[in-house]
Amino acid sequence: MTSAPSAPLAGPEISGTGSMDILFRRMREASRNGPPPSVADRKAVLDSLARMLRENGPAIIAAISDDFKGRSETETRLLEIVPALGAIRHAKRHLASWVRPQRRTVDWAFQPARAWIRHEPLGVVGIISPWNYPLLLSLSPLVDAIAAGNRVLLKPSELTPAFADLLAGLIARYTDPGRIAVITGGVEVARAFSGLPFDHLLFTGSTAVGRQVMAAAAPNLTPVTLELGGKSPALVCPDYPLDKAAGSIAFGKFLNAGQTCVAPDYALVPAGRERDFADAVLARVRTFYPDVAGNPHYSAVISERHRERLLAALAEAEAGGATILRHGEDRGGRVAPSVVLNAPPGCLLLREEIFGPILPVAGYRDLEEARAGIARGERPLALYCFTGDRRTEQRVLDGSLSGGVTVNGTLLHVAQDGLPFGGVGASGMGAYHGIDGFRRLSHARAVHRIGGINGFERLGPPWGRLADWAARLLTRRPV
Ligand code: NAD
């Protein structure tokens, strides 16, 4: 903790919008007065966050599991705590080079001069995070915002209240409340939060709420990064071993019981092979999760309302003639892993992001048909393409657009600190992680320093022959 001390306001007791406004105003005031925090200072805050994670692993795991009423301990450790620490490590390692001013060229017409870019902190960044990976999706943008030298107000989801309270307390204990504070509360608090005149607002959640957040930010001209969801397809090309693809798709789909923004939403396989593929997925599922209901490695669905939505979607598909293959029982907050064949057109499973452990499988006659089907829909957050043939890979990538892609696997493009993570179109705007997050949450400030003579000003006014000659000369320059 190295930034200027301020009154210890943050903590789990912060839930009213009055204290939120005060915190925001203090942060804003501090961000407008004083130099940007040094690299050492930012690293010290990142170190505090790392210490917070290392010293409180069991409490974090327990709180998230309480909220889910059964979240796999290993998933919280491996998919949340480990990547959050990875983001901190990556930022610390590269921060000095990210912050370093970048020289830019100056045209001879403006010589003698120097030009460069300074990546400046924006000021106060707001972060709204969802419930599905409540730690990682709070910490990962927080790390980027701190690396960029900002102050941060963070609003976790009301669907993970135990975690939100814990995080608020931990952040207050490990960091300076003038630098980072957590606001807890329900949707009303979230709505008021998104109306604060932040210097940037980073929202992770559904496309529907993303629209509301952008509308709330517009009157303040607050720039937004929207990390949204959508239906991410997994396309198994004819050359790729079906069984191998089934294993990767089952892995990506059933982690966190399908409540992963980049989970493969549905699978496309060569026509006639749908049933073989479905059987291969279920065979994998049986080895991953021999039983479902009480299995501590198979996460529960976050709430009864979410469970009911998923079960109703299955019932609707079945009533419309779909074949549903399942493993295990819907008990103990769990929804049994399910594969759906012949889902009827227009049913919820094909219309909306599923966000649960249900995998519809459809057949395609030729790859062009599959590609065109993907390209017709909203642009997805992720695309998974399984092929060993580079030309096929190129054809699929050229003919579709998504936030990111993993070829011959699922999810792992998101785990790369060197790659930007973000959506496109309905799946979001703007990307973060690593240098892309640092830049997204910085202002690239242009600086031009003029040398001993300012040739341009010498031309006039009053404009005379010298200016006319210069204009003619510059117009004739090769382009
Ligand atoms: P959600 O949109 O319901 O809620 C997200 C956050 O928004 C919560 O913190 C909530 O308090 C807040 N919120 C709710 N109403 C609000 C309003 N009117 N104004 C401002 N904030 C409001 O999303 P969710 O159910 O928590 O998460 C699931 C969705 O998030 C899925 O669509 C999933 O794909 C998406 N998601 C995307 C990513 C990504 O990185 N792209 C990651 C995880 C989840």
Side-chain angles (χ1 to χ4, degrees):
M1 280 198 300
T2 41
S3 61
S6 45
L9 262 174
E13 75 279 6
I14 301 285
S15 58
T17 53
S19 32
M20 177 170 89
D21 290 341
I22 295 170
L23 273 172
F24 174 75
R25 276 203 305 277
R26 281 193 187 166
M27 283 191 180
R28 189 182 157 96
E29 178 73 16
S31 73
R32 300 315 193 247
N33 296 291
S38 66
V39 168
D41 180 342
R42 300 177 202 193
K43 282 186 179 176
V45 180
L46 294 174
D47 278 333
S48 305
L49 292 174
R51 213 154 26 82
M52 177 186 92
L53 292 174
R54 289 223 168 92
E55 291 173 2
N56 296 280
I60 291 169
I61 288 165
I64 296 178
S65 194
D66 272 4
D67 287 329
F68 274 74
K69 295 181 191 63
R71 153 65 99 77
S72 155
E73 174 177 335
T74 311
E75 287 182 356
T76 301
R77 209 182 286 285
L78 206 59
L79 307 180
E80 301 218 58
I81 297 176
V82 167
L85 286 168
I88 293 172
R89 187 179 315 110
H90 183 80
K92 278 187 65 192
R93 195 159 293 165
H94 297 281
L95 191 54
S97 73
W98 296 346
V99 168
R100 201 169 296 134
Q102 287 173 8
R103 250 324 255 285
R104 292 293 167 99
T105 54
V106 177
D107 191 87
W108 63 257
F110 298 100
Q111 294 290 1
R114 284 261 165 118
W116 68 95
I117 289 176
R118 286 167 55 104
H119 284 100
E120 310 271 14
L122 289 169
V124 187
V125 169
I127 296 173
I128 302 179
S129 54
W131 53 263
N132 62 330
Y133 290 91
L135 175 77
L136 181 66
L137 297 173
S138 299
L139 265 283
S140 177
L142 174 63
V143 166
D144 292 0
I146 291 299
N150 297 292
R151 290 161 199 270
V152 179
L153 273 188
L154 169 62
K155 163 69 182 75
S157 169
E158 62 285 352
L159 291 183
T160 44
F163 169 75
D165 282 349
L166 176 71
L167 185 68
L170 291 178
I171 289 283
R173 221 166 81 215
Y174 282 82
T175 68
D176 174 355
R179 182 68 76 87
I180 309 173
V182 175
I183 307 291
T184 57
V187 171
E188 279 317 307
V189 174
R191 215 172 264 140
F193 186 94
S194 62
L196 289 173
F198 287 111
D199 297 299
H200 193 103
L201 184 54
L202 191 149
F203 168 81
T204 304
S206 60
T207 301
V209 176
R211 281 184 221 281
Q212 295 180 36
V213 167
M214 195 167 173
N220 300 317
L221 293 182
T222 293
V224 291
T225 295
L226 300 179
E227 301 292 342
L228 311 177
K231 294 187 79 63
S232 299
L235 173 60
V236 183
C237 299
D239 68 287
Y240 199 83
L242 207 63
D243 195 52
K244 209 169 154 196
S248 286
I249 293 169
F251 175 84
K253 183 69 176 188
F254 299 108
L255 279 188
N256 203 28
Q259 302 163 109
T260 304
C261 56
V262 285
D265 187 87
Y266 61 98
L268 296 171
V269 303
R273 309 197 65 194
E274 297 91 326
R275 180 67 199 226
D276 290 346
F277 177 79
D279 287 340
V281 169
L282 279 174
R284 283 308 173 99
V285 167
R286 271 182 229 110
T287 65
F288 292 166
Y289 315 106
D291 42 59
V292 167
N295 188 337
H297 299 301
Y298 183 64
S299 293
V301 167
I302 186 75
S303 77
E304 200 44 44
R305 178 170 64 83
H306 289 75
R307 258 180 103 237
E308 279 166 11
R309 172 182 167 272
L310 293 169
L311 296 176
L314 279 174
E316 181 205 22
E318 196 163 31
T323 304
I324 309 221
L325 307 168
R326 314 195 74 199
H327 166 62
E329 286 171 39
D330 307 312
R331 277 197 295 116
R334 269 65 172 186
V335 168
S338 310
V339 182
V340 180
L341 297 168
N342 301 317
C347 71
L348 188 140
L349 291 178
L350 300 188
R351 220 172 50 234
E352 290 182 10
E353 177 183 8
I354 296 170
F355 221 58
I358 303 172
L359 180 73
V361 177
Y364 63 84
R365 280 187 302 276
D366 63 66
L367 209 53
E368 177 48 28
E369 175 192 312
R371 185 214 58 79
I374 294 169
R376 249 196 322 275
E378 296 285 15
R379 287 170 165 169
L381 184 57
L383 170 70
Y384 301 111
C385 171
F386 292 85
T387 178
D389 177 36
R390 289 293 159 84
R391 270 182 319 199
T392 305
E393 175 187 316
Q394 195 68 33
R395 240 176 86 199
V396 172
L397 296 192
D398 284 349
S400 62
L401 189 62
S402 63
V405 181
T406 294
V407 179
N408 300 338
T410 54
L411 313 182
L412 292 185
H413 62 285
V414 182
Q416 310 311 311
D417 290 318
L419 285 177
F421 172 55
V424 57
S427 60
M429 62 181 69
Y432 70 117
H433 285 194
I435 190 169
D436 298 286
F438 170 84
R439 291 206 173 142
R440 183 80 187 161
L441 300 175
S442 300
H443 172 60
R445 189 181 192 189
V447 186
H448 182 71
R449 185 199 289 136
I450 295 162
I453 312 164
N454 187 335
F456 212 79
E457 284 181 5
R458 292 268 171 113
L459 297 176
W463 304 115
R465 283 172 52 203
L466 184 62
D468 288 343
W469 170 81
R472 270 199 307 278
L473 186 75
L474 293 171
T475 310
R476 276 195 229 113
R477 279 179 81 188
V479 288

